[in-house]
Amino acid sequence: MKKLLSIALAGVCLCMPVYPAATALVSGAKSAILMDAATGVVLYEQNANAKSFIASTTKIMTGLIVLENAELDDTVNVSPQAVGVEGSSIYLEAGQKISVKELLYGLLLKSGNDAAAALAIHCAGGIDAFAGMMNERARSLSMTGSHFTNPHGLNHPEHYSTARDMAKLTRAALNNSGFSEIVRTKYYKLNGVTIKNHNKMLWNYNGADGVKTGFTKLAGRCLVSSATRGNMQLICVTLKASNDWGDHAALLNYGFDSYTLRHFFNEGQPLATLPVYGGEKNSVEAVVNQDIRLLLKKGQADKVKLEVVLPRYLWAGIARGEQVGILRLTQDNNILLEYPVVAKEAILAVTPKRRLRDLFKKKIS
């Protein structure tokens, strides 16, 4: 027997997987995308699956892998292979000893290609081995349109990605506190010299908090940016753009002006207490196992019902995290989204002998 707890939420609109703008928002980019960082919902896209050279935006992947596989205070002994790499540089010298932390700032603020090579060799023993790590991480993020051959982004026919994949990558990277701290830093003192972040959005856009620029003649101007206003963080990607700073401001403004993020439940938040029979405990809390958040279009008055479908009671022998119900979003009797509701803790079943003893005690008391 089920009971249904229904809560009508006035003024809530379901977010669909993609919200295209009525008109193009970018002036000349080969491809572009705007994504909500919390939910992964795409708000705008233009040729987002087109494969492109990505120049130094590659270093988002490099930085993430280093942060996941090395300690910030690790000492790197700079390999001769990392010295004199073409393009942007922090002017490393062979045999120089420098920390992973310093190299990451040189990588993500000054876009040092030598820093990228030094970090790759430190983490994987070589450039090719590190590229293998990059491709493995890309697969784990479902970056199906990407392939990496180096840690810095210098042009190679087999080194490419898409706007959609770069947004997926950036969403994962921004969840790393070390990464997000570095890319929002405007200035950093490296070897006694103050370096400045190449990302002009940090100075020119209200709420900007990273992430990476890129340019080669073949790739053109590439930019990945993020910005936060209130509880909403957006990720913007343009590849081969003629007006990247303007395009990003327009896309981010569109996102913040048109959408709002609603937070309904926190991970682990109790929704109900269910009776339990035949167990060591006589009740268990039913909780959600993830944050429940929705990106909602502003100005729409459609009603969405939030329903928690639970049994009236449970029998013992319940595992922690076992699904015991469903949290469901519906509109006009159509199911839109569903999330599992789970037991907060395990409830062991008592033995028949123990159950009889407890019943006997209850009768004579």
Side-chain angles (χ1 to χ4, degrees), residues 267-269 274 284-290 310 314 317-326 339-348:
E267 180 181 355
Q269 182 174 338
L274 296 175
V284 67
E285 287 186 336
V287 303
V288 287
N289 61 1
Q290 59 186 300
L310 296 168
L314 297 168
I318 305 163
R320 182 176 182 271
E322 180 178 336
Q323 184 169 350
V324 296
I326 296 170
Y339 300 91
V341 178
V342 303
K344 186 175 182 179
E345 59 181 330
I347 306 292
L348 299 176

Side-chain angles (χ1 to χ4, degrees), residues 114-142:
D114 52 353
L119 287 165
I121 294 166
H122 174 74
C123 284
I127 300 298
D128 290 343
F130 190 81
M133 294 175 68
M134 297 172 82
N135 289 316
E136 182 179 351
R137 192 69 174 95
R139 285 190 292 271
S140 77
L141 294 171
S142 299

